Amino acid sequence: MRVKLRAGPEQRKFIERIEELSGEDIFACYQCGRCSAGCPVALEMDILPNQVIRLIQLGLAEEVLGSKTLFLCASCFTCQSRCPKGIDMARVMEAVRHLLEPKGKDVCGPDEITPELAKELPQQVLVSLFRKFSK
Ligand code: SF4
Ligand code: SF4
């Protein structure tokens, strides 16, 4: 991937907003890659979890906001348990999703969850669906 680096107020604002929304110290990451090595859905991602953090550190908002990785993260917390700096990647992913514009319409609203489906799906999947695919 070819990227053009800039260090202006826009980039700083993006980084600060992600830190504010996630509560995580983005610059604590030193790119050891343990998060990506343990992520169960890494093979399907276009940008690996450690790369998401690196792009945020560089203030490259467009590259992060356009990634399908944001919607593949299953909020399983494996990365956080492996991270030597304790970075909660699921919160970082959620913070980035929060910045997506336009917000769009609900892709998965409560009306679409039938009682049968609600019985079958693990609660974490339901919560994750509402968090990721609703306005
Ligand atoms: S929380 Fe997301 S990024 Fe972290 S290991 Fe799980 S799926 Fe991967
Ligand atoms: S495990 Fe933590 S320190 Fe290592 S690359 Fe991932 S987020 Fe960064």
Side-chain angles (χ1 to χ4, degrees), residues 20-94:
E20 183 190 351
L21 288 167
S22 67
E24 299 298 313
D25 179 0
I26 295 298
F27 288 99
C29 169
Y30 59 91
Q31 291 294 302
C32 69
R34 290 186 63 171
C35 49
S36 301
C39 175
V41 284
L43 284 177
E44 302 299 324
M45 292 174 166
D46 53 353
I47 300 175
L48 294 172
N50 70 297
Q51 293 172 324
V52 168
I53 293 272
R54 189 64 184 135
L55 289 171
I56 296 171
Q57 288 173 336
L58 295 172
L60 295 167
E62 261 179 49
E63 282 75 2
V64 186
L65 291 166
S67 168
K68 70 173 183 176
T69 291
L70 303 176
F71 293 94
L72 288 175
C73 171
S75 303
C76 69
F77 306 113
T78 305
C79 50
Q80 187 191 11
S81 70
R82 295 171 59 100
C83 177
K85 305 299 278 187
I87 295 172
D88 187 339
M89 187 66 71
R91 291 186 73 158
V92 173
M93 300 273 191
E94 190 163 356

Side-chain angles (χ1 to χ4, degrees), residues 100-113:
L100 283 172
E101 291 290 351
K103 297 289 183 204
K105 63 179 182 61
D106 283 348
V107 176
C108 183
D111 295 345
E112 285 152 274
I113 306 295

